Amino acid sequence: MSRAWPSPVRPDALRLTVVSDMHHGRREFTPAAMAHAGASLDREADRTDLFLDLGDSIHWRLAEHKDPNDAAAKAWLAERAANTNRPWYSIGGNHDLQSYGEPYPNRSGDEWAADMGFDERNHVIDWQDWARIIMVTPTFQGFDTEKPGHLPMELGTDEVAWIKARADEVPERHVLVFFHAPLPAQYTSHMKDDAAQVMVANTPNIVAWVSGHRHVDLTTDEFCFLNHPASGRVIHHVNVPSFGGGTPGTSDDRWGQPFQSTHLTILREGGIEVRCRDHMQARWVPWWRTGYVTTLPALTA
């Protein structure tokens, strides 16, 4: 059953629509699903200030897949930006930077940005006088030849320092960091290195870490939207549901999979409201723990 967006939406809030893990090229029906869902996603523009894409736009299996997959993702993103007339920002994920077939070619974060036609691989976005968004693409993605696809996303020492420096520039603002993979404290199978987690714990104005990557299922996943410890400090941790060509099928979806976006309402006084929409069936969907709206309350020191 569909539920309407709660009204009224706070006029002083920052409204983000977040997508992740589109995996253009993974399955043969992906282009049709993307076109169907894209038209639905376009209609979210009136209640969205910024659209954010958290990576794995493509599913790069073999060397010959990269260029056509890039072209499909670029065309889809360009159409969304034109139709919504809103800013769109993208970062790269592990599939964007590394093939998962012989001979395992890779590209750097800067090469990925250039191939996709983006000016930068990272983004710093200031909102009014109270919020800053930091979006990060790693310089390189490693590869495990024994278990292809299982090596965690990682941020290097310089990249972690860069995030902290950008947060320290605006100590009075709420800072939200967006990276393809979650912190270890939120989900232990990714980001084996805890350097980013320690940095977040030691940077008081970072209030949230938002990630994709895990291909979560809202009906069963317990880690999606939490206030969670990060080396002694509590932060909001949001792991958005997968969206597009990589998620498992569901019985009531004619395309064989949900196609979801996550809507974050960032409140000026602190706290986040989280809603999710399936664009294959044009309906709001619940997280099993809290229903259609998950409220992460303001953090206290």
Side-chain angles (χ1 to χ4, degrees), residues 44 50 58 85 91 93 101 124 142 192 202 213 217 228 268 300:
E44 301 308 308
L50 304 171
I58 72 167
N85 195 30
I91 52 176
V124 177
K192 62 176 186 258
N202 294 327
H213 187 55
D217 182 343
H228 205 82
R268 182 167 185 148
T300 57

Side-chain angles (χ1 to χ4, degrees), residues 42-300:
D42 293 344
R43 293 191 283 273
E44 301 308 308
D46 288 344
R47 48 182 165 233
T48 300
D49 296 306
L50 304 171
F51 286 89
L52 308 181
D53 161 28
L54 301 192
D56 278 4
S57 292
I58 72 167
H59 193 76
W60 181 16
R61 289 160 292 170
L62 302 172
E64 59 267 28
H65 296 149
K66 177 174 71 70
D67 290 344
N69 290 179
D70 279 357
K74 287 168 67 174
W76 191 90
L77 288 166
E79 185 176 13
R80 304 284 73 75
N83 290 350
T84 60
N85 195 30
R86 293 288 190 274
W88 277 76
Y89 297 91
S90 296
I91 52 176
N94 49 297
H95 279 268
D96 299 308
L97 303 186
Q98 177 71 66
S99 168
Y100 289 86
E102 295 283 2
Y104 311 122
N106 63 3
R107 57 179 165 181
S108 70
D110 289 328
E111 289 169 335
W112 162 81
D115 288 344
M116 291 294 290
F118 303 140
D119 293 335
E120 301 288 344
R121 63 182 169 93
N122 299 329
H123 308 285
V124 177
I125 308 158
D126 286 321
W127 183 257
Q128 299 179 6
D129 61 351
W130 60 273
R132 170 169 281 192
I133 292 170
I134 300 174
M135 301 181 68
V136 187
T137 299
T139 305
F140 295 101
Q141 163 65 20
F143 194 81
D144 185 340
T145 55
E146 295 182 1
K147 295 179 67 180
H150 287 265
L151 195 66
M153 292 285 287
E154 292 293 344
L155 288 166
T157 302
D158 290 346
E159 293 161 319
V160 172
W162 181 85
I163 296 171
K164 179 166 179 57
R166 302 293 76 75
D168 287 347
E169 291 171 349
V170 287
E172 75 288 353
R173 292 177 181 248
H174 298 315
V175 173
L176 299 94
V177 179
F178 292 77
F179 181 61
H180 182 65
L183 292 170
Q186 193 263 355
Y187 192 78
T188 55
S189 72
H190 301 292
M191 287 190 73
K192 62 176 186 258
D193 190 332
D194 67 354
Q197 186 169 296
V198 171
M199 178 275 296
V200 169
N202 294 327
T203 312
N205 60 328
I206 293 180
V207 299
W209 186 279
V210 185
S211 60
H213 187 55
R214 289 186 48 238
H215 297 206
V216 299
D217 182 343
L218 287 173
T219 64
T220 59
D221 195 278
E222 59 182 312
F223 297 105
C224 289
F225 321 119
L226 302 172
N227 286 342
H228 205 82
S231 298
R233 192 169 76 84
V234 173
I235 64 165
H236 300 311
H237 202 301
V238 178
N239 199 143
V240 308
S242 289
F243 160 105
T247 56
T250 56
S251 60
D252 62 346
D253 185 344
R254 63 192 175 98
W255 296 99
Q257 59 184 351
F259 196 91
Q260 296 177 25
S261 60
T262 302
H263 299 252
L264 305 180
T265 303
I266 315 301
L267 305 179
R268 182 167 185 148
E269 70 273 16
I272 301 176
E273 295 175 350
V274 186
R275 302 165 177 86
C276 293
R277 189 165 181 80
D278 177 4
H279 294 282
M280 300 314 300
Q281 301 189 50
R283 65 180 184 180
W284 300 102
V285 293
W287 182 38
W288 66 276
R289 277 195 167 187
T290 61
Y292 287 84
V293 181
T294 299
T295 302
L296 302 178
L299 301 171
T300 57

